[in-house]
Amino acid sequence: MLNKYPMWKNIMVVLIIAIGGFYAIPNLFGEDHAVQVVATRGAEVTASTQATVNDLLASKDIAVKRSELENGQLLVRVQNAEQQLLARETIAAGLADNYTVALNLAPATPQWLEALGGGPMKLGLDLRGGVHFLMEVDMSEAIRKMEEAKIADFRGQLREERIRYSGVRKTPRGIEIKFRDADTVSKAERYLKTLGNDMVYSDISSNGNFALLATMSEVYLKQIKEEALQQNITTIRNRVNELGVAEPVVQRQGAERIVVQLPGVQDTARAKEILGATASIEFRMVDDNADPAAAASGRVSGLSEVYPRRGGGVAVLRKEVMLTGDHITGAQPSFDEYSRPQVSIQLDAKGGNIFSNVTRDNIGKPMATLFIEYKDSGERNEDGSVKMNKIEEVISVATIQARLGRNFVITGLEHKEAQSLALLLRAGALIAPVTIVEERTIGPSLGQQNIENGMQAMIWGMIIVLLFMLVYYRAFGVIANLALMANLIMVVGVMSMIPGAVLTLPGIAGMVLTVGMAVDGNVLIYERIREELLAGRSVQQAIHEGYANAFSTIADANITTFMTALILFAVGTGAVKGFAVTLMIGIATSMFTSIVGTRSIVNAMWGGKRVKKLSI
């Protein structure tokens, strides 16, 4: 038994540990206090904005460590927390209202290390500090919007089938469709029932009034609420990602609520602005027959409504909604052949069909994009819910040049407006407004205390394990201790490499547990070597048998623990996931260091040599 590794295997061990160490290094540099500037409502963050911000800070003698303009956002790093607060106030006062200025924390990783792909671990809300929102979806608004869409569908479907009706309107009981005679009611009911079972139809004709009442089925109502929740979760996550908040958590809680956590954001009021106003988008036809003078005073026909236009003036729009923003799958700012700004829109299949049918008969007519925003009024309704103010404005009016399908463009915009509209559409529109029912701020000082407590637990656990191994196994204990430290470095490195991995306080608990589990494999190996020596085996045979026979035991124990951690990750949420992730990574790295890593050192020290005694 020579117990020798080939050169390539030793190089592989060193290389893997070195890579883990390289990606762990950025965690030593900490974080900078920073101020984040994001454009809203048609504005744009440019090099000119950056120069203005730098001049504002220089006028207040605020030293700037680094000013970074990337992806339409400005991040200004300053020296300490006091200068951070002063910088936020100075920038907010010096810039226009269409900019959001928020406190943030930015990794202090050197630029050369960032260029090589290095970055620190992402810390969760409980370690880094930040804000926590519990948001509730207004399901009644989601149902109302779907009823309006159904009214438009009924009109189009009955018209295509050439079934005459005298009116379609929303009532407290449901959607009422009026007809001229009983035969038409029966014909319409038979036809509408063939289109699906989303609606329940009943004949409510009486006293010479012929009408059909359509109400949503329980299954359909449940489907609407589920889709509204999922759509809002996706939209909120997209908006947070678009606005550059690092490692946010957006997940459902119950049937109507969404949890949003923004680590590193220190100001609750500003975090609401970063998250973005709860808004939606509608495409409507412009009523070009309306009298401008009458519209200015709010007098229009019952089929139209007056809305203010962004930048001044008013627009008269038809009440019927052509399309809502929840059908938009993509939006990019671009230029036409005459270098005029435009926004290229992509719709899903259903939205494409709807848009194609609607625009077919409206070529050459103006179409408006209506932006609807819901803001917290600071007041409460009688039932205790938050009272929301509804703000509506027309952000663009464009002429339909041809029949539109899944891909079309919006023209008539300024360059900045095109970029802003594309960002908003790309992030998506909320299918129903949401209200913040709970908000919490976790300060960075509390997060720092959690980190310090967790690190102390890990350090004391490591010291006890290191001393035990050193005293009990002597030279082999030194090797085990080296493997333990290499394992911890690799865990940190892997956590830093994985884009979606976030270290939480339970994650630190998982790392502490990993410390104990990492040395467990070495204990099994060393005890097996000791048994082989007592059985009269030679040193080389004992080493070989110790590693060979202990491997199956170590693998069985670690695989079962890994499977348990995997189940915790799959079914758990929040803290449980954080614990499971670090545990799984720790198990994988500990098997490498305890089996392959220590074997490499043992082979280098005793392999191929005539050794009579081992200090074990």
Side-chain angles (χ1 to χ4, degrees):
M1 297 291 180
L2 295 177
N3 289 319
K4 295 288 288 183
Y5 266 172
M7 182 62 69
W8 69 266
K9 190 171 285 189
N10 288 320
I11 293 174
M12 180 195 70
V13 171
V14 173
L15 186 62
I16 291 175
I17 295 175
I19 292 173
F22 173 80
Y23 282 100
I25 288 175
N27 295 279
L28 301 175
F29 294 97
E31 293 179 315
D32 287 331
H33 292 86
V35 178
Q36 184 179 18
V37 181
V38 179
T40 58
R41 300 178 69 83
E44 185 179 5
V45 178
T46 62
S48 175
T49 311
Q50 184 179 23
T52 302
V53 169
N54 291 338
D55 291 340
L56 288 170
L57 297 179
S59 67
K60 295 290 185 178
D61 295 325
I62 300 174
V64 177
K65 293 178 67 174
R66 198 196 309 174
S67 178
E68 303 166 322
L69 178 60
E70 187 176 355
N71 297 327
Q73 302 171 45
L74 179 62
L75 190 70
V76 181
R77 302 169 186 257
V78 294
Q79 301 293 333
N80 51 49
E82 291 183 4
Q83 289 195 349
Q84 182 190 35
L85 292 172
L86 180 59
R88 201 279 303 275
E89 294 174 0
T90 303
I91 296 171
L95 292 181
D97 293 335
N98 47 359
Y99 290 93
T100 295
V101 184
L103 303 177
N104 214 326
L105 294 171
T109 309
Q111 289 181 305
W112 67 268
L113 197 53
E114 285 184 350
L116 295 174
M121 283 186 295
K122 282 74 177 179
L123 302 181
L125 198 67
D126 51 358
L127 298 181
R128 195 180 185 197
V131 292
H132 166 101
F133 296 122
L134 181 60
M135 312 177 88
E136 188 170 69
V137 180
D138 186 352
M139 292 301 179
S140 61
E141 181 67 15
I143 294 171
R144 185 193 68 79
K145 282 188 173 183
M146 191 57 64
E147 286 177 334
E148 289 182 354
K150 282 293 181 182
I151 289 173
D153 289 345
F154 286 149
R155 287 170 176 161
Q157 290 160 354
L158 294 173
R159 193 180 301 118
E160 286 185 4
E161 195 65 14
R162 297 183 179 180
I163 299 176
R164 293 180 175 273
Y165 62 92
S166 57
V168 183
R169 67 188 182 97
K170 171 75 175 68
T171 68
R173 294 187 297 170
I175 300 173
E176 186 179 293
I177 311 173
K178 292 185 176 182
F179 301 92
R180 290 188 173 89
D181 53 64
D183 290 339
T184 310
V185 172
S186 300
K187 182 179 179 182
E189 184 177 0
R190 287 194 302 271
Y191 169 67
L192 292 175
K193 283 182 177 180
T194 64
L195 300 179
N197 55 5
D198 294 341
M199 307 294 290
V200 177
Y201 303 95
S202 55
D203 190 341
I204 57 170
S205 302
S206 63
N207 301 325
N209 295 318
F210 304 99
L212 197 64
L213 182 67
T215 57
M216 295 182 178
S217 66
E218 291 298 324
V219 174
Y220 190 46
L221 284 172
K222 185 177 180 181
Q223 178 185 335
I224 291 172
K225 293 179 179 180
E226 181 67 22
E227 289 179 353
L229 186 66
Q230 293 298 333
Q231 173 74 19
N232 279 5
I233 288 174
T234 302
T235 299
I236 290 173
R237 185 179 290 118
N238 289 342
R239 289 186 179 182
V240 171
N241 291 340
E242 286 280 355
L243 294 172
V245 179
E247 299 306 322
V249 174
V250 182
Q251 59 190 22
R252 71 179 295 169
Q253 184 177 91
E256 298 182 0
R257 293 186 170 184
I258 303 170
V259 174
V260 180
Q261 295 181 348
L262 307 178
V265 178
Q266 304 166 41
D267 190 321
T268 305
R270 295 300 179 184
K272 291 178 184 178
E273 295 182 14
I274 290 177
L275 183 59
T278 57
S280 58
I281 286 179
E282 294 177 355
F283 293 99
R284 297 193 188 188
M285 296 304 301
V286 176
D287 185 358
D288 47 5
N289 295 322
D291 181 5
S297 59
R299 299 193 312 273
V300 293
S301 71
L303 299 177
S304 301
E305 294 174 311
V306 179
Y307 294 98
R309 294 190 63 169
R310 180 175 293 182
V314 295
V316 182
L317 308 185
R318 296 288 184 182
K319 285 185 177 180
E320 184 177 351
V321 178
M322 296 171 59
L323 192 74
T324 58
D326 52 291
H327 291 292
I328 294 175
T329 59
Q332 295 82 32
S334 58
F335 295 92
D336 62 14
E337 62 270 24
Y338 302 107
S339 299
R340 293 177 299 194
Q342 64 182 21
V343 178
S344 301
I345 307 293
Q346 295 85 46
L347 302 175
D348 58 19
K350 184 178 179 181
N353 291 333
I354 295 172
F355 218 43
S356 175
N357 293 332
V358 172
T359 57
R360 177 183 54 199
D361 301 324
N362 291 287
I363 296 175
K365 297 180 181 180
M367 176 188 70
T369 305
L370 181 64
F371 181 53
I372 307 168
E373 190 173 20
Y374 298 85
K375 286 192 174 181
D376 188 346
S377 66
E379 301 175 0
R380 296 277 178 176
N381 295 315
E382 294 181 359
D383 60 0
S385 61
V386 177
K387 186 177 181 180
M388 302 295 290
N389 288 334
K390 187 177 182 180
I391 302 172
E392 300 170 305
E393 62 177 349
V394 176
I395 57 176
S396 73
V397 175
T399 301
I400 300 174
Q401 303 291 348
R403 182 176 181 177
L404 304 176
R406 295 185 62 178
N407 298 280
F408 64 97
V409 295
I410 295 177
T411 59
L413 302 171
E414 298 293 332
H415 178 57
K416 291 181 180 180
E417 288 180 325
Q419 289 188 321
S420 177
L421 179 60
L423 186 149
L424 178 63
L425 297 179
R426 205 164 51 242
L430 293 175
I431 198 170
V434 296
T435 56
I436 297 174
V437 296
E438 175 187 310
E439 60 182 69
R440 296 198 307 268
T441 302
I442 299 177
S445 57
L446 179 60
Q448 187 62 35
Q449 184 179 356
N450 288 338
I451 293 175
E452 291 173 357
N453 292 340
M455 291 301 296
Q456 284 184 9
M458 187 183 304
I459 289 170
W460 282 108
M462 281 198 66
I463 289 175
I464 293 172
V465 171
L466 292 175
L467 287 175
F468 171 80
M469 295 299 292
L470 190 62
V471 172
Y472 195 71
Y473 292 111
R474 288 171 279 187
F476 274 76
V478 173
I479 297 173
N481 291 342
L482 291 173
L484 181 60
M485 288 185 285
N487 175 69
L488 192 59
I489 291 172
M490 289 181 65
V491 170
V492 174
V494 173
M495 287 285 291
S496 303
M497 291 168 62
I498 300 176
V502 180
L503 181 65
T504 60
L505 190 59
I508 292 181
M511 295 178 72
V512 174
L513 178 60
T514 299
V515 169
M517 294 184 62
V519 81
D520 184 55
N522 291 121
V523 171
L524 290 173
I525 293 170
Y526 295 166
E527 288 301 319
R528 184 71 189 202
I529 293 175
R530 181 177 286 172
E531 290 176 4
E532 296 295 338
L533 289 173
L534 293 175
R537 302 271 190 178
S538 67
V539 169
Q540 301 299 337
Q541 287 178 322
I543 292 174
H544 176 78
E545 293 295 331
Y547 276 94
N549 294 326
F551 174 78
S552 59
T553 304
I554 296 170
D556 288 344
N558 282 279
I559 288 173
T560 52
T561 307
F562 187 91
M563 294 299 293
T564 303
L566 189 62
I567 293 171
L568 288 176
F569 179 80
V571 302
T573 57
V576 176
K577 282 183 179 288
F579 174 80
V581 167
T582 52
L583 185 58
M584 285 189 291
I585 294 173
I587 290 170
T589 56
S590 66
M591 285 192 67
F592 173 79
T593 54
S594 63
I595 298 174
V596 181
T598 59
R599 182 69 182 270
S600 179
I601 300 174
V602 168
N603 286 354
M605 294 183 63
W606 292 289
K609 300 177 183 177
R610 293 184 176 275
V611 183
K612 295 183 179 180
K613 186 178 180 181
L614 291 176
S615 59
I616 189 172

